[in-house]
Amino acid sequence: MRHDFLPLYLYEGERVYLHSQSVGVKFGPSEARRFEFFLKRRLEGHPTDDIPSSLAGMARREPGIDIGASGQVGGAWGIASA
């Protein structure tokens, strides 16, 4: 059995945020016009060392870190993000 330690916390500041699995920096004048850079932990695999027979022959997947950017723009019609 393998255990992943995942603390549950949340900080949402005006320019920086910190969640259980991600951290990011926000730029922009408002929520409707914003650009951000982030790091996010990706959990992969399964919590046991024995590979199930249904996954036989597949490469083992390990946790990783994603690096990314996102942006959003909005108006009276709503908010679009990418």
Side-chain angles (χ1 to χ4, degrees), residues 30-82:
S30 69
E31 284 289 317
R33 295 188 163 274
R34 183 172 80 185
F35 186 76
E36 66 182 60
F37 292 104
F38 61 87
L39 293 172
K40 185 173 183 178
R41 180 178 180 214
R42 182 176 1 120
L43 300 173
E44 297 283 350
H46 46 83
T48 61
D49 291 329
D50 298 326
I51 297 176
S53 60
S54 61
L55 299 178
M58 294 180 70
R60 185 178 182 102
R61 296 173 72 178
E62 297 295 331
I65 295 178
D66 293 331
I67 299 172
S70 68
Q72 61 187 44
V73 62
W77 46 269
I79 295 178
S81 61

Side-chain angles (χ1 to χ4, degrees), residues 10-19 23-31 33-38 70-72:
L10 174 68
Y11 171 74
E12 193 76 37
E14 186 176 329
R15 298 285 178 216
V16 177
Y17 67 88
L18 181 62
H19 299 167
V23 61
V25 179
K26 302 182 275 188
F27 302 96
S30 69
E31 284 289 317
R33 295 188 163 274
R34 183 172 80 185
F35 186 76
E36 66 182 60
F37 292 104
F38 61 87
S70 68
Q72 61 187 44

